[in-house]
Amino acid sequence: MATPVMNQVDSRLLLRDILKGVSRSFYLTIRALPPGVRQPVAVAYLLARAADTIADTRALPPQERLERLLALRAEVEDPAPFDELRMEAVGRIVSGVRRRGDGASQAETALLDSACGVFSLLDQAPESDRARIRSVVATLTRGMELDLTTFPAEDSGAVAALQSADELDSYTYLVAGCVGGFWTAVAMAHEPRLVRWDAGRMRDLGVRFGKALQLTNVLRDVPRDLRNGRCYLPEPELASASLTPEDLLDPANAGRARPVLTAWIRVALEHFDAAEAYLLATPRQCLRMRLAELWPILLGLATLEKLARNDAWLDPERPSRVRRRWVYGMMARSLLAAPSDTLLRLWIRGLRRKVERVLDGG
C-alpha cells in the first residue's frame, strides 16, 4: 500500500495551529528555532503530546490507558512505512480518548484527530531524524508508563509517592532530560555552526537542562498532582519531616514540608547552571537557537523564585506562576540580550541570586 502523503497546507495546520493549541508556551520556543531544527522537534512534541493525552485521559480506566499508550509506542518505534493498515491501527488507539473537565480538551481532541497526519510527517522526515524522533518519543512514553504503573487512579482518593531521590531524578530524565540529548543531536545535524560542539559534553548538559525544567514543573505542580494521587517528592524525605504524602494535601503543612521543597529547589538551581553553560556554548550567531534556549531558562528561574516566596505553596488556589505580562516583557528584552554572553550571564545569575536569597532567608 502507498504511504499517505500530507500536502503542504495540512503540514502547516499541524505544525502551526494544532501545535499552538496544545502548547502555547513551548510553541513559542519551537517557532524560534531555525527551520531545519524546528520540524523534527515539532513532530516529536506532537507525538509525545498525543501519547500524554492518552495517558492522562479520565475517559478510560488506567489499565486501558496503559495498553493504548504501549500500542502507540509500538507504532512510533516501528520503522516500517506508515500505510493504510497502520493508519487504521492508530485510529483505533486514539478513538474514544477525551479529557473531561479540561480547558485544553478541544485542542487535544484536534491533535488526536490528526494523529495519522503526525505519523505521516514522521514518515516523511529524513531517516536520521526519524530515528531520533522514535527514540526520544519512546523514552518519553516510558515516563508516562511510570506514572500509570506507580500511582493510583486519579479518582481513587489514595496518594502514592516516589521512594527515593534517584527515582525522582530518573523520572525527570524520562519525561524531559532525554529531550536535551535529542535537541542536541538534531541541532548538530541541522545547524552547520554547531559542528564544533563536543557532542558528549553538550548531550550531558542538555540532559541536565531538561531535568532543570521538569523538576521546576514538578515542584510547582505539587498541589495539583497530589489531588491526582501523585506525590513526586520522595517519601523518605517527607518522613524525615514527620510527614506522609497524604499530609501534603493540607495546605497548613506547607511550613513543615518546606525543607523538602528547599532541598529540591537547590537541586534545580544546580541543573540550571548546566542550562546556562548549554546556552553560552551556543554560538552568538545562532540567535534563534539562543532565544529558544534562553526563554525556558528565564521562565524556569522566575518560577522557582515565585515558588520559594510562596508560603502557601501547597494550596492549589495559590499557584506559583509567572504572570503572562512578565513573560512577554522578558521575551522582548531577550532580543537585545541574546547576542551578548555578558548580558546573559548577568540576567541569569541575577535571577538565580534572587532564588538563593529567599532560600537563605533574605
Side-chain angles (χ1 to χ4, degrees), residues 115-131:
C116 288
V118 183
F119 272 92
S120 182
L121 288 176
L122 172 63
D123 222 26
Q124 295 171 46
E127 172 53 36
S128 56
D129 281 343
R130 288 203 302 272

Side-chain angles (χ1 to χ4, degrees), residues 201-232:
R201 174 178 179 268
M202 294 305 295
R203 179 196 174 280
D204 292 343
L205 290 175
V207 166
R208 292 189 63 197
F209 193 154
K211 286 182 177 182
L213 302 180
Q214 184 59 33
L215 186 52
T216 300
N217 291 341
V218 164
L219 298 176
R220 180 198 65 196
D221 294 338
V222 165
R224 185 193 67 183
D225 290 333
L226 285 167
R227 282 151 185 83
N228 287 325
R230 301 175 180 185
C231 179
Y232 295 98

Side-chain angles (χ1 to χ4, degrees), residues 33 41 43 109 120 135 141 156 161 168 175 193 205 323 329 340:
L33 290 170
V41 171
V43 172
T109 297
S120 182
S135 177
T141 61
S156 68
L168 179 51
V175 298
R193 287 168 288 196
L205 290 175
R323 294 183 182 275
S340 169

